[in-house]
């Protein structure tokens, strides 16, 4: 599982470099946001798993973080703390 997220992180870096070198289209920007959400959620989950707190990674959480970015991660943490 870690290798999959590492590959997604490398793909994210490649997309960001491609975006910065040329004129990015909307599809490329959306891909960067979605991959950034997936990788960010994974890193956040990895760091918090040390203290026994985790956010499940599924289609809903990836979509929420991909659309909202960091506020999506904060929203997921709030929902996890509330037990929802």
């Amino acid at each position: 599982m870690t290798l999959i997220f590492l590959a997604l992180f490398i793909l994210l870096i490649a997309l960001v470099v491609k975006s910065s070198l040329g004129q990015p289209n909307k599809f490329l920007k959306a891909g960067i946001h979605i991959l950034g959400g997936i990788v960010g959620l994974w890193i956040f989950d990895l760091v918090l798993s040390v203290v026994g707190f985790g956010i499940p990674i599924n289609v809903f959480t990836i979509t929420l973080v991909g659309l909202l970015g960091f506020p999506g991660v904060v929203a997921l943490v709030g929902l996890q703390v509330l037990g929802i």
Side-chain angles (χ1 to χ4, degrees), residues 13-47:
I13 291 174
L15 287 176
V16 168
V17 168
K18 180 177 168 121
S19 172
S20 64
L21 292 177
Q23 183 67 16
N25 57 13
K26 292 191 185 290
F27 182 73
L28 184 61
K29 286 182 183 180
I32 289 172
H33 277 273
I34 291 170
L35 280 177
I38 293 169
V39 171
L41 188 60
W42 173 69
I43 291 172
F44 198 76
D45 188 49
L46 184 67
V47 169

Side-chain angles (χ1 to χ4, degrees), residues 44-65:
F44 198 76
D45 188 49
L46 184 67
V47 169
L48 290 180
S49 68
V50 173
V51 293
F53 185 79
I55 298 172
I57 298 176
N58 54 36
V59 174
F60 173 73
T61 57
I62 290 171
T63 304
L64 185 68
V65 173

